[in-house]
Amino acid sequence: MIAKKRKTNNMAVNGNRVAAASSQAPHALCDIGMIELLEQDGRPTFVLDLEKVADRDNIHLQPVFCNASLRSANLQDIVTGKAVANSHLSPYEPNKYSDFKGWASSRPRHNSLIDGYFPDLSYNGLLWNCATIRKKWRIVSGSRVSHVLSSATADERELPLTVAGSASVKTQTTEDRNAREHQKVDFSLGRTPQQSWTDILPPSEYTDLFRAINWSQTPLGPLSSWSPHLRQMTCFLMADSRPASMFWGSQRAILYNEPYIMVIQKKHPKALGMTFNRVWAETVEAVEPAFVIAEAEGRATTMQDSIFFLERYGYLEETFFTWNLIPLRNQKGDTEGFYNSVSESTRQKLSDRRTATLISTVTASDMSSFWHESLNGFESNELDIPLAVSYSLETESESGKMSGSAMCVFQAALGISEDHPSVPKRVNLEQSNEGFIPLFRKARFAGGPMVLQKADGNLPEDLLQGIQWRGFGEPSSTVIVLPLAAGEEVLGFLLLGLNPRRAYDEDFERFIQLLSRQLSTSLTTAALIEQARLNQANLARQLSIRTQEVADSESRFKAMTELNPLGMFYISPEGIILYANERWYEMSGHPKELNSEMSFMGAVFEDDIATMEKQWHKLTVLKMNCTFELRLRKRWYHADSKTWKNVWILATANPVLNEDGSPKSVMGCITDISLQKQAQEDALERATLSEQITRITQEANENEKKFKQMAELSPCGMFYYSPEGLLIWANSQYYDMTGNSRDPKDQYTKSFYSATAEEDHALLDREFHKITVEKKQVRFEFRTKRPWINTMSGKPVKETAWLLCEAFPVLDEDGSVKDIMGTTTDISHLKWAESLQMRSRIAAEEARASLERFIDITSHEMRNPLSAILQSADGIASSLIEFQSSSKTHVILEELVESNLEAIQIITLCAQHQGRIINDVLTLSKLDSAMLLVSPVTLQPSTVVKNTLKMFGGELASNDIKLEFRIEESYTRFKIDWVLIDPSRMTQAIKFTRSESERTITVSLAASVDKPPKGEGVEIEWFPSRGSDTKRDLTLDPEWGKGEQVYLYFAVKDTGRGLTYEEKMRLFHRFAQANPRTHVEYGGSGLGLFISRELTELQGGEIGLASKAGKGSTFAFFIRGRRATASIDETKQKGAIGIKGRPRVTSLTDETTKSSVATDTPSLSMAVGNQIKENAPMFEILLVEDNLVNQKVLGKQLQKAGCTVSVANHGEEALDFLTKTKFWKGNADGKNLDIVLMDLEMPVMDGLTCARRIRELQQEGSLVKHVPLIAVTANARMEQIDISMAAGMDDVMPKPFRISELIPKMEKLMSEQ
């Protein structure tokens, strides 16, 4: 019905328009048909039937008419989509036919608009526009842009839009344009695109239009002259998916993107290139302060829901926008323009305002208050309802007629005075033509809301003259007349003048329908309540009349009571029933046989007994007439609610008095008013329900507001998602944590994936499945693309952001998932703490592993020399016993002496090595316990250095190392004599030169007053001192004296292997050596340089080095001391040193070699000794040992035991030796071999790797039988022994050991072969 009425109204509106237009045009002009007009139009034009193009499955347009211009230009197949577009067109246009079809066949957007507004569309080299007639016929015309402009108005011709035919776009001069206006319109297809910076703009018809603008006529100038900054911002603007514009230059010339067309509407495309003050003249006063502030402060200005009055549809329109204004500055800091992005919030703001109006329209309790109460709800919304007038409709009885006249009675008004001529006070609806009465008559006949609009010509404007308009102070262009009905009966009318700055669109229509429904419901409730009260009053009057008649004649009363529908009674003052008719007994349910005092009280409902007693007291004691209502115990069945309810009665009673005034009896009647009470209860229930709905709605809105406020204050993110994954609502914290866009346009199904790290997308899929399918509550952690700024270290650092998400499904009554609710918590700092804890644990484990390696290295370094000591001692003892038992003379042979001296020297060297290891460990312990003290002693540094170097004479000679001691020139220049040093660290330099062909060590001594010393010829990289600012200067103590503070510089230069950059980085740390093989090749505990560093820093100095791989190293340190006065003895020593004014070099090699013992270097295959004891085993042994001392000692002991010994220095030499033995496949004539004794810690290839390779060769068949392997190692822990056995060893001989312990192991192993 509503749709029919709407269609009828639309037809009426269109008819009114045509009639209005026809009345103004000459009669002859009205006879011209539309087809005749279109056929003469020079533009290609076609007509569509909108009712037939509603089928979206049809991929082609089907015009019902094409004019001659379109047919002659061969455009029929182009507009229908049946032909492929000309190949010379833009590569983007052939794929845009679907957009062209959708644009041409789209429906008008608002009912209030005559035809709906559709922006022009560029397609196939033409600019198309359309118009709609009677909501059915769509007329589409195309023309070249230049042709369109030539017919524009003077103001419109200022638009700098010029296209050269349909060919390439170029700027035209005035003469060119004038010449082309006289040419025939060329609709040929195809164009050749030019090369320009605009080629990078997103391809679209709008971009083509942008290129077509003659920008030279604008303040911006030609496109080729645009600055790089303007071009860059233009590209950004065109790529922005939001509606956005840009105001450039001092005149603020406007540029905007394609989405902005929906904001600017009919100002497009004229607005392109025009100044802001011309395009948005209506907003200049409101927006200008924002421009000033943004330019002055240099930051963006944002406004939420700002109200603007725009002329977009031909009238001043009330709109709301959320927008910002960003100043665009060049490199000099000058503001060149402004960037403006907007989002329209008009619909939401209007909806909120109108919803508040509906809520404030309360329900009235009666008809008299309804009319004023209904208008009170409009007081607060003077913008949407500036005018409101209400009339009630009453029936006035006329003599001699069955039905009276319908009278319109003025009740209330807003926005118009009561004495205005358009609002008469009381007039006949059917006959009067005063004021708004004819409109009410039409609305009553239409049976629904009637829309009157100025644009349709059906709004009598004379009725609206002389009104002081509320709101905007402007006359309404749309008036609505609402007939207010209770059921089918019209009880009044409400006339509303609507917002003159808003169109009567679908939203406004929906608001009017809701308002009409709510007012009709309220009116119905008020009418029911008032009717019930009238019925009750009428019954009371009837009862009073009947009571009076009974008093006049008791006999007559009794006769009549039996026929009376009321319950009649006589009761004595004591409460005994004297008389009651049948109707009374039937109503009350009182038994006839029961007639005791006050027995009638038993028929009264328990809750109303007190009321009955009070009324009885009035009748019998106060002797008053009473009329009252009460409930009885008797029940009646209510069919509508299907329940049993107590009977309600209306009782009217009067006391009958004796002549002395004492009560004689009480006479009265009762009436069953159960139905009336039920109707009243129903009406009250409806009124209460309406009030509850209003209250609940208000409470719901208030609760929603409070919830959102609480959500905004919550530290957690909160969200609602639909089961499909579409975001319904979220608080600010959620957006901040996840980085999701707040723009509703960016929300789509499962849009949260865009803010989540790609590594966690699979996790989100699983958890979303649990919620939506398994309907389980979930709790999980995931990462976001938004980084977490870690400020724990004092500096902001970007790290991965982690969120904890807890979510659960909200289920419907049928168990389906309705919504998904959840929270997010930022746990990035907790994850960072866990990571830090993990790193600390790993560091602790690495420190423990380093300590274990140190223990292993120390154990190895202690056990190796101990084994050599034991074996050398055994060798001395056995040689002496053999000499004593076999020699007949007591003359000791020279060979025996030399052998024993060599063994003794080995024992001494090994003992010294063990002493250094022990000293390192003890020194480290003292350093850790802060027990190592520095005590100043007056001494001569050069003497101390020389004495120290003499301690290494034997070791230098045995390794063929040349040692030089150099006293630098600075030492003499500063006259330095006495300091404290620790000489033991020189051992490091000696060890690192063992494997080089030219082995030389140069020790230098220098002095300086600077820290560190400078100008010594070598660029030393000093290792930074730890906590130097907090360490106390020891030389300030009294025991150091008051001499001048000096620095002594010591350098040890070698020709060793040198160090790489990575190896240098590992030096000077606890348990650290240059590389993992350093210990294997040179020994040591990894403490020497660390202790040296600690000692130098303790004495106010630093340690450092200069080294290159393959070119040797220079280790240097300096310490702080004070000058001291030498004693007489010390002066003699000083003279002996012979320090001159020039640097002095002393060679100590010859000195040290005098006491050294020459040693022989073992070869790869040596057989030593040929004396074999009786019953001694004859074993062919391969000894794999890198330590030359152990190699020589153990080899000699095995030879004495009767074994033939061959040696190898590492695992690869051992494998080479095996290829020459009988163990090797196809080598039956090779060397004999019984057992391999193998050390584990060796260079090139260690023992474990070699053992594994031997077993692999056995499995491959390269070795024809099992090779017996015994590990000879100082790694004696049980775990290390297990590792050796797992690598392929047959047995393990831990160091130190004796030959007497090794022989049984070899015999046992050979017996098992």
Side-chain angles (χ1 to χ4, degrees):
M1 179 67 71
I2 293 175
K4 270 185 184 179
K5 290 178 181 177
R6 186 179 301 164
K7 184 173 182 181
T8 303
N9 290 338
N10 290 337
M11 294 177 62
V13 169
N14 292 329
N16 291 335
R17 292 175 185 159
V18 174
S22 299
S23 65
Q24 299 174 3
H27 186 271
L29 184 61
C30 297
D31 293 337
I32 299 176
M34 182 178 69
I35 299 300
E36 181 181 358
L37 175 64
L38 295 179
E39 192 68 21
Q40 297 299 321
D41 194 343
R43 298 171 301 170
T45 305
F46 63 93
V47 180
L48 297 175
D49 185 348
L50 292 181
E51 294 181 356
K52 293 183 179 180
V53 298
D55 184 7
R56 299 298 180 184
D57 295 332
N58 193 340
I59 62 174
H60 300 295
L61 289 175
Q62 297 178 348
V64 297
F65 169 76
C66 296
N67 72 347
S69 178
L70 187 139
R71 296 193 301 270
S72 63
N74 296 323
L75 292 175
Q76 286 178 283
D77 291 342
I78 298 299
V79 298
T80 59
K82 296 180 180 179
V84 179
N86 193 304
S87 60
H88 295 290
L89 293 176
S90 168
Y92 307 107
E93 288 192 339
N95 298 327
K96 294 298 183 178
Y97 178 73
S98 59
D99 295 339
F100 175 72
K101 174 181 176 292
W103 170 83
S105 59
S106 57
R107 291 276 183 180
R109 182 175 180 182
H110 298 303
N111 291 337
S112 62
L113 300 178
I114 298 176
D115 302 314
Y117 170 68
F118 297 91
D120 296 344
L121 181 69
S122 175
Y123 172 68
N124 208 53
L126 300 176
L127 186 64
W128 299 85
N129 56 64
C130 66
T132 308
I133 297 179
R134 298 184 180 179
K135 306 290 185 181
K136 177 177 176 65
W137 307 108
R138 174 63 50 78
I139 304 174
V140 184
S141 300
S143 56
R144 292 183 303 170
V145 179
S146 58
H147 180 67
V148 173
L149 293 178
S150 64
S151 61
T153 64
D155 290 337
E156 291 173 341
R157 281 199 295 271
E158 294 183 9
L159 174 68
L161 182 64
T162 306
V163 178
S166 56
S168 60
V169 177
K170 63 181 180 180
T171 304
Q172 298 179 345
T173 64
T174 304
E175 291 76 14
D176 293 335
R177 289 196 303 274
N178 293 336
R180 290 182 181 274
E181 288 177 357
H182 296 287
Q183 296 176 0
K184 181 180 178 180
V185 179
D186 181 14
F187 297 103
S188 61
L189 306 178
R191 61 178 180 177
T192 302
Q194 295 181 347
Q195 295 297 324
S196 171
W197 66 268
T198 60
D199 292 344
I200 65 174
L201 297 178
S204 67
E205 288 83 356
Y206 178 75
T207 301
D208 295 339
L209 178 63
F210 175 83
R211 295 191 184 103
I213 302 295
N214 186 2
W215 294 100
S216 61
Q217 297 181 6
T218 72
L220 299 176
L223 290 175
S224 59
S225 67
W226 286 15
S227 65
H229 189 196
L230 176 55
R231 295 181 181 185
Q232 179 183 11
M233 292 310 302
T234 302
C235 294
F236 178 80
L237 174 70
M238 293 301 186
D240 198 342
S241 61
R242 304 168 299 173
S245 62
M246 190 164 61
F247 313 116
W248 197 264
S250 59
Q251 299 184 44
R252 298 172 189 162
I254 187 170
L255 297 170
Y256 52 86
N257 59 9
E258 189 169 358
Y260 193 78
I261 295 175
M262 297 309 297
V263 176
I264 204 166
Q265 296 291 346
K266 285 191 174 180
K267 296 176 185 287
H268 172 74
K270 298 189 299 295
L272 279 169
M274 294 177 64
T275 63
F276 176 83
N277 290 357
R278 294 193 62 186
V279 175
W280 295 116
E282 64 270 27
T283 68
V284 170
E285 183 177 353
V287 178
E288 182 62 27
F291 279 111
V292 175
I293 293 174
E295 182 172 5
E297 299 182 357
R299 58 185 177 85
T301 300
T302 302
M303 304 296 290
Q304 294 286 339
D305 298 328
S306 299
I307 185 170
F308 290 99
F309 301 101
L310 308 180
E311 292 187 4
R312 302 191 296 181
Y313 300 104
Y315 66 93
L316 197 61
E317 178 187 10
E318 178 192 13
T319 62
F320 294 88
F321 289 90
T322 295
W323 58 281
N324 63 4
L325 202 61
I326 303 174
L328 304 177
R329 296 192 170 190
N330 57 22
Q331 294 180 349
K332 297 180 180 179
D334 299 329
T335 301
E336 291 189 320
F338 298 88
Y339 194 87
N340 172 230
S341 62
V342 300
S343 61
E344 185 168 359
S345 56
T346 304
R347 191 173 186 182
Q348 182 61 43
K349 290 292 293 182
L350 293 179
S351 176
D352 294 344
R353 190 167 72 194
R354 293 165 182 173
T355 300
T357 301
L358 292 174
I359 294 175
S360 62
T361 306
V362 298
T363 303
S365 58
D366 53 54
M367 291 289 292
S368 60
S369 62
F370 166 78
W371 308 103
H372 292 277
E373 292 292 340
S374 61
L375 263 62
N376 287 340
F378 306 151
E379 286 281 2
S380 59
N381 193 359
E382 62 180 7
L383 298 180
D384 286 327
I385 307 178
L387 173 66
V389 180
S390 63
Y391 275 81
S392 63
L393 188 61
E394 301 177 0
T395 302
E396 188 175 76
S397 300
E398 297 182 13
S399 60
K401 293 184 179 181
M402 295 295 294
S403 60
S405 300
M407 303 298 294
C408 282
V409 181
F410 171 77
Q411 295 293 342
L414 278 178
I416 187 172
S417 62
E418 295 184 5
D419 57 353
H420 193 277
S422 297
V423 285
K425 296 298 181 287
R426 184 182 181 90
V427 292
N428 191 302
L429 176 64
E430 303 296 337
Q431 300 175 1
S432 176
N433 289 322
E434 298 182 54
F436 299 121
I437 304 305
L439 304 181
F440 296 158
R441 192 160 51 243
K442 292 180 180 179
R444 185 185 188 189
F445 176 76
M450 185 174 67
V451 182
L452 306 172
Q453 291 184 299
K454 181 179 179 180
D456 297 341
N458 59 359
L459 176 62
E461 298 184 42
D462 55 328
L463 297 178
L464 304 179
Q465 299 296 327
I467 297 176
Q468 297 296 324
W469 290 93
R470 302 194 315 153
F472 296 112
E474 302 170 3
S476 296
S477 57
T478 302
V479 172
I480 302 293
V481 180
L482 301 177
L484 302 179
E488 298 295 330
E489 182 182 3
V490 177
L491 300 181
F493 302 95
L494 178 63
L495 181 140
L496 299 176
L498 303 186
N499 190 341
R501 298 191 180 183
R502 289 301 307 173
Y504 185 63
D505 52 16
E506 294 178 357
D507 292 340
F508 220 144
E509 182 181 9
R510 190 180 302 109
F511 166 66
I512 294 300
Q513 290 175 351
L514 292 174
L515 180 63
S516 176
R517 189 179 302 120
Q518 184 167 337
L519 291 175
S520 295
T521 301
S522 178
L523 180 61
T524 301
T525 301
L528 289 174
I529 294 174
E530 186 165 316
Q531 185 63 40
R533 289 176 180 173
L534 290 175
N535 291 341
Q536 180 179 348
N538 186 39
L539 290 174
R541 287 194 299 271
Q542 293 178 8
L543 180 59
S544 179
I545 293 172
R546 291 184 182 278
T547 302
Q548 185 63 37
E549 291 176 353
V550 172
D552 294 340
S553 175
E554 183 177 352
S555 59
R556 183 179 164 188
F557 165 76
K558 290 182 179 180
M560 294 179 63
T561 55
E562 298 300 328
L563 303 175
N564 200 307
L566 302 178
M568 311 296 295
F569 61 85
Y570 257 145
I571 301 178
S572 69
E574 294 76 23
I576 298 174
I577 299 174
L578 301 177
Y579 170 78
N581 63 357
E582 290 293 328
R583 184 61 179 156
W584 185 89
Y585 284 108
E586 180 181 347
M587 288 185 190
S588 64
H590 189 283
K592 291 183 179 181
E593 62 276 8
L594 180 61
N595 192 11
S596 59
E597 290 185 0
M598 305 300 290
S599 60
F600 63 89
M601 295 292 288
V604 179
F605 185 63
E606 291 85 351
D607 293 345
D608 289 350
I609 289 178
T611 302
M612 185 68 245
E613 290 176 348
K614 182 178 180 180
Q615 298 300 326
W616 186 256
H617 177 76
K618 289 181 180 180
L619 290 168
T620 58
V621 178
L622 302 180
K623 304 170 187 178
M624 297 172 59
N625 296 339
C626 297
T627 299
F628 54 92
E629 298 175 353
L630 54 80
R631 288 168 292 179
L632 302 179
R633 291 180 181 271
K634 185 179 178 182
R635 301 171 71 84
W636 67 286
Y637 183 75
H638 184 224
D640 292 341
S641 63
K642 298 181 180 180
T643 57
W644 289 91
K645 298 189 176 184
N646 293 90
V647 173
W648 276 90
I649 61 170
L650 174 66
T652 300
N654 299 318
V656 180
L657 304 179
N658 292 317
E659 294 180 356
D660 59 356
S662 60
K664 176 181 179 182
S665 63
V666 175
M667 182 177 63
C669 65
I670 59 175
T671 304
D672 189 346
I673 60 171
S674 299
L675 294 177
Q676 291 88 335
K677 293 296 289 185
Q678 184 61 44
Q680 184 178 1
E681 287 179 6
D682 292 342
L684 291 175
E685 183 177 357
R686 285 192 296 270
T688 302
L689 181 60
S690 178
E691 292 177 356
Q692 289 178 350
I693 292 174
T694 302
R695 186 181 70 256
I696 291 173
T697 303
Q698 293 174 345
E699 291 177 355
N701 293 335
E702 187 66 21
N703 290 338
E704 182 180 3
K705 181 179 179 181
K706 290 179 180 178
F707 171 77
K708 290 183 177 180
Q709 290 175 345
M710 293 176 62
E712 293 300 324
L713 296 175
S714 172
C716 299
M718 300 181 181
F719 59 85
Y720 280 124
Y721 270 94
S722 69
E724 295 76 26
L726 185 64
L727 180 62
I728 300 174
W729 172 86
N731 64 352
S732 298
Q733 287 77 358
Y734 175 82
Y735 290 112
D736 294 340
M737 288 181 185
T738 60
N740 274 338
S741 173
R742 300 172 184 262
D743 194 341
K745 295 181 180 179
D746 295 337
Q747 303 303 328
Y748 50 89
T749 302
K750 295 185 179 180
S751 60
F752 46 77
Y753 280 104
S754 62
T756 305
E758 294 182 359
E759 300 90 333
D760 291 342
H761 283 185
L763 170 65
L764 290 184
D765 284 336
R766 293 193 300 271
E767 300 302 329
F768 195 82
H769 182 271
K770 290 181 182 179
I771 298 176
T772 57
V773 179
E774 301 177 12
K775 303 175 184 177
K776 294 181 179 179
Q777 182 173 345
V778 298
R779 176 188 175 97
F780 60 94
E781 300 172 357
F782 67 99
R783 291 160 288 187
T784 67
K785 293 181 179 179
R786 174 190 63 84
W788 173 61
I789 307 302
N790 184 359
T791 58
M792 300 297 181
S793 62
K795 296 182 180 179
V797 179
K798 288 186 178 181
E799 296 187 14
T800 302
W802 280 86
L803 298 183
L804 171 64
C805 178
E806 296 181 273
F808 62 90
V810 180
L811 304 180
D812 277 330
E813 294 179 357
D814 59 355
S816 60
V817 178
K818 178 183 179 183
D819 292 314
I820 299 173
M821 297 179 61
T823 62
T824 57
T825 306
D826 193 341
I827 58 171
S828 301
H829 61 290
L830 297 179
K831 283 292 185 179
W832 172 82
E834 290 177 3
S835 175
L836 180 61
Q837 184 179 10
M838 177 64 70
R839 291 196 297 269
S840 299
R841 182 178 64 80
I842 293 173
E845 291 177 355
E846 290 177 353
R848 180 177 58 81
S850 297
L851 181 59
E852 289 180 356
R853 287 195 299 270
F854 164 69
I855 293 173
D856 292 340
I857 292 171
T858 302
S859 174
H860 183 271
E861 289 296 304
M862 293 294 291
R863 288 173 178 269
N864 258 335
L866 184 60
S867 178
I869 289 172
L870 290 176
Q871 293 168 15
S872 296
D874 285 346
I876 294 172
S878 62
S879 63
L880 291 177
I881 293 173
E882 181 179 346
F883 171 79
Q884 186 179 15
S885 61
S886 62
S887 179
K888 297 180 180 180
T889 176
H890 295 287
V891 180
I892 300 177
L893 299 176
E894 183 179 355
E895 179 184 357
L896 178 61
V897 173
E898 291 180 354
S899 175
N900 288 341
L901 285 175
E902 182 181 359
I904 292 170
Q905 186 183 29
I906 290 172
I907 292 173
T908 302
L909 291 174
C910 292
Q912 290 174 349
H913 179 73
Q914 285 183 319
R916 285 194 294 271
I917 296 297
I918 293 172
N919 289 336
D920 283 349
V921 175
L922 291 176
T923 302
L924 178 64
S925 176
K926 289 180 180 180
L927 286 172
D928 289 342
S929 304
M931 296 175 61
L932 190 65
L933 303 178
V934 176
S935 300
V937 177
T938 302
L939 50 81
Q940 200 168 29
S942 58
T943 303
V944 174
V945 173
K946 280 189 175 184
N947 292 337
T948 301
L949 296 178
K950 289 180 181 180
M951 296 170 57
F952 302 97
E955 194 168 356
L956 291 169
S958 63
N959 289 279
D960 193 18
I961 297 174
K962 182 180 178 180
L963 178 65
E964 293 179 355
F965 173 49
R966 180 188 299 273
I967 297 177
E968 301 294 342
E969 182 271 337
S970 62
Y971 187 84
T972 305
R973 175 162 40 89
F974 288 105
K975 299 178 181 179
I976 304 300
D977 291 338
W978 313 98
V979 293
L980 294 175
I981 62 172
D982 183 357
S984 62
R985 299 286 68 79
M986 274 192 57
T987 308
Q988 303 295 327
I990 296 173
K991 288 185 177 181
F992 276 86
T993 60
R994 181 181 301 170
S995 62
E996 303 301 323
S997 59
E998 181 183 352
R999 291 173 283 189
T1000 302
I1001 296 177
T1002 302
V1003 180
S1004 301
L1005 174 61
S1008 175
V1009 293
D1010 298 322
K1011 177 185 180 181
K1014 299 179 180 178
E1016 300 305 332
V1018 179
E1019 292 297 330
I1020 300 297
E1021 298 179 25
W1022 299 105
F1023 197 84
S1025 178
R1026 299 169 300 168
S1028 58
D1029 296 336
T1030 60
K1031 288 186 178 180
R1032 186 171 59 87
D1033 187 354
L1034 298 178
T1035 62
L1036 298 178
D1037 293 343
E1039 59 184 349
W1040 287 80
K1042 298 184 179 180
E1044 181 186 6
Q1045 196 175 70
V1046 295
Y1047 292 90
L1048 296 179
Y1049 172 88
F1050 300 87
V1052 181
K1053 180 179 180 181
D1054 62 58
T1055 58
R1057 57 181 292 274
L1059 299 173
T1060 63
Y1061 174 79
E1062 290 77 11
E1063 291 173 337
K1064 288 191 288 185
M1065 291 296 100
R1066 289 191 287 268
L1067 293 180
F1068 305 114
H1069 294 284
R1070 187 192 298 256
F1071 309 137
Q1073 294 181 316
N1075 62 61
R1077 302 305 306 169
T1078 300
H1079 161 69
V1080 176
E1081 295 186 35
Y1082 306 105
S1085 60
L1087 290 175
L1089 291 176
F1090 171 74
I1091 294 174
S1092 298
R1093 172 191 168 193
E1094 292 286 337
L1095 291 173
T1096 54
E1097 292 179 1
L1098 187 63
Q1099 299 180 72
E1102 292 180 356
I1103 193 169
L1105 80 157
S1107 178
K1108 291 185 178 179
K1111 295 185 179 181
S1113 304
T1114 299
F1115 286 81
F1117 69 93
F1118 65 90
I1119 59 175
R1120 183 166 52 205
R1122 288 186 182 274
R1123 294 182 185 273
T1125 303
S1127 61
I1128 297 176
D1129 295 337
E1130 292 166 345
T1131 303
K1132 294 179 181 179
Q1133 292 180 4
K1134 181 176 179 180
I1137 297 176
I1139 300 178
K1140 306 294 182 181
R1142 296 165 58 88
R1144 180 179 175 184
V1145 178
T1146 304
S1147 176
L1148 301 178
T1149 306
D1150 296 337
E1151 243 179 89
T1152 56
T1153 53
K1154 291 179 181 179
S1155 61
S1156 64
V1157 179
T1159 58
D1160 297 328
T1161 303
S1163 63
L1164 178 64
S1165 176
M1166 81 171 184
V1168 183
N1170 50 17
Q1171 296 182 355
I1172 303 173
K1173 295 184 179 181
E1174 293 183 2
N1175 301 324
M1178 292 285 293
F1179 292 144
E1180 297 284 343
I1181 297 174
L1182 173 61
L1183 176 59
V1184 187
E1185 172 66 65
D1186 66 309
N1187 189 294
L1188 299 181
V1189 174
N1190 287 346
Q1191 196 179 91
K1192 180 183 292 185
V1193 173
L1194 182 55
K1196 186 176 293 185
Q1197 293 297 316
L1198 289 172
Q1199 290 169 0
K1200 288 184 178 182
C1203 299
T1204 301
V1205 180
S1206 300
V1207 298
N1209 293 312
H1210 48 74
E1212 284 191 359
E1213 289 185 359
L1215 293 175
D1216 291 340
F1217 184 85
L1218 284 176
T1219 62
K1220 302 172 184 178
T1221 65
K1222 295 182 178 180
F1223 281 98
W1224 196 258
K1225 183 178 180 180
N1227 195 13
D1229 298 331
K1231 296 180 181 179
N1232 292 324
L1233 179 63
D1234 296 320
I1235 298 175
V1236 178
L1237 301 180
M1238 187 176 297
D1239 189 17
L1240 299 185
E1241 301 289 340
M1242 295 182 295
V1244 185
M1245 180 183 287
D1246 59 76
L1248 295 178
T1249 304
C1250 183
R1252 295 189 187 97
R1253 183 54 184 159
I1254 290 173
R1255 298 310 179 206
E1256 290 175 359
L1257 291 172
Q1258 288 179 195
Q1259 293 179 358
E1260 295 172 359
S1262 298
L1263 293 173
V1264 297
K1265 61 180 180 179
H1266 183 80
V1267 178
L1269 299 177
I1270 296 179
V1272 180
T1273 178
N1275 297 333
R1277 288 192 295 116
M1278 185 57 64
E1279 294 84 355
Q1280 295 170 326
I1281 293 175
D1282 292 340
I1283 292 173
S1284 299
M1285 300 298 290
M1289 297 294 181
D1290 294 306
D1291 206 343
V1292 177
M1293 186 73 245
K1295 297 178 182 179
F1297 64 89
R1298 295 188 175 185
I1299 297 299
S1300 59
E1301 298 171 347
L1302 178 60
I1303 295 298
K1305 281 185 176 289
M1306 293 192 295
E1307 291 177 344
K1308 180 181 178 183
L1309 182 58
M1310 291 303 298
S1311 65
E1312 294 174 353
Q1313 296 301 312

